[in-house]
Amino acid sequence: MCRHLAYLGIAPISLAELLTAPPGSLYEQSWAPRKQQHGTVNADGFGIGWYPGDPYEGAEPARYRRALPIWNDRNLPELTAAIASTAVLAAVRSATPGTSPDEAVTAPYRSGRWLFSHNGAIDAWERLPDDLGPAAGPLRTADLLAGAGRCDSALLWTLLERRLAAGLPPVDAVAALVRAVAAVRPAARLNLLLTDGDTVIATRHGDSLWYAQTPGRVLVASEPTPGLTSGGAADWREIPEGSLVLATRSGVRSAPLRPASDAGRGHPRTARRPGPAPILTVEGTNP
């Protein structure tokens, strides 16, 4: 498993203020996660993606990734103090057994304006494209060979990126991918974060996920960091299991990942292609 976080704000925030300084920060979650349901430490690498320009003007993100524990990077304090951004996605990694140990498979993954992270694990992930069949979408052998590396998360990103490249709306692409994978891997844990610097699309499927919405900013994270918000712990709300979330700087919405007709079943159907998911307000938050 892993821990990850996405931030959108009207005002830039320094990476240090967001990721390393607050008590219970993502930095601290690398060795002392509080809500993690699988695994105990996240010491197999870390990555930070941020938008150095104005995301409203189509700025593409920069990344800093390492294959070592985040606390062992002596350059990190200076780097995080010097960089600020209005949009950030970051993760600390606990590698799935059998995956590559190098930084190429460390989130966030990137394509154009998109940044992506996966918190979870997929059993027998090497056979996943074959088991998905047509639900694998517009996937070619060349796409797999050009992927980030040998890792379940990297494979998920390849599957999702091809859907996005084919023109599927991002919310539909994320929802369809999670449903399809869960249908053939019921035990898979599929907490995803996807951002273009303007919106965040997230799923809770198998581990914890929280959000905090305050004026001009939104945070979506594996676990709450009360020091990041003026209201502390009271600003954080837990997202229900089996949810898809759409967050912007002005609001947070969610909907069930499974179509209503599948409620109560062991796992989602993939016999029919899901249409756009209905978006429901989360805990009274208005977009």
Side-chain angles (χ1 to χ4, degrees):
M1 297 298 286
C2 308
R3 302 281 84 183
H4 56 194
L5 173 150
Y7 166 85
L8 299 175
I10 294 174
I13 188 172
S14 76
L15 298 185
E17 181 184 353
L18 179 65
L19 303 175
T20 62
S25 66
L26 188 68
Y27 179 83
E28 188 175 313
Q29 291 169 31
S30 64
W31 71 84
R34 292 165 293 127
K35 302 290 185 180
Q36 191 161 324
Q37 299 171 17
H38 303 273
T40 55
V41 295
N42 300 284
D44 296 316
F46 70 95
I48 306 169
W50 68 95
Y51 292 77
D54 185 346
Y56 294 106
E57 296 178 356
E60 293 190 1
R63 290 183 300 172
Y64 182 73
R65 301 184 297 167
R66 300 295 303 277
L68 47 73
I70 193 170
W71 63 80
N72 277 350
D73 188 333
R74 296 184 178 182
N75 296 316
L76 191 66
E78 186 172 343
L79 178 78
T80 56
I83 295 174
S85 179
T86 59
V88 179
L89 193 156
V92 290
R93 183 185 183 214
S94 176
T96 303
T99 60
S100 300
D102 57 280
E103 65 189 36
V105 297
T106 301
Y109 300 96
R110 178 179 62 186
S111 177
R113 292 186 62 191
W114 293 110
L115 289 173
F116 171 80
S117 177
H118 166 225
N119 165 27
I122 305 172
D123 59 299
W125 60 271
E126 301 95 330
R127 299 197 302 272
L128 182 62
D130 290 336
D131 294 341
L132 285 172
L139 185 67
R140 304 166 299 172
T141 301
D143 298 325
L144 295 174
L145 293 174
R150 181 178 171 79
C151 179
D152 50 357
S153 299
L155 175 59
L156 276 180
W157 172 232
T158 298
L159 293 167
L160 179 57
E161 195 276 332
R162 295 311 304 159
R163 284 169 161 79
L164 296 172
L168 195 63
V171 168
D172 293 352
V174 171
L177 178 61
V178 172
R179 291 171 185 164
V181 174
V184 298
R185 295 289 189 276
R189 300 188 293 276
L190 302 165
N191 280 30
L192 311 185
L193 284 179
L194 177 71
T195 186
D196 61 357
D198 191 32
T199 63
V200 172
I201 300 167
T203 59
R204 179 177 178 182
H205 189 286
D207 208 305
S208 59
L209 192 67
W210 297 68
Y211 81 93
Q213 176 75 48
T214 57
R217 61 162 56 178
V218 63
L219 294 128
V220 181
S222 297
E223 33 189 273
T225 306
L228 278 174
T229 58
S230 58
D235 287 331
W236 289 85
R237 292 175 171 82
E238 187 171 10
I239 294 166
E241 171 66 18
S243 295
L244 181 142
V245 175
L246 175 65
T248 68
R249 290 170 175 82
S250 58
V252 179
R253 293 179 171 185
S254 78
L257 272 167
R258 291 186 292 175
S261 60
D262 290 332
R265 296 178 182 241
H267 54 75
R269 293 180 304 188
T270 56
R272 63 183 180 89
R273 179 177 174 178
I279 302 298
L280 307 177
T281 300
V282 174
E283 306 227 358
T285 302
N286 293 318

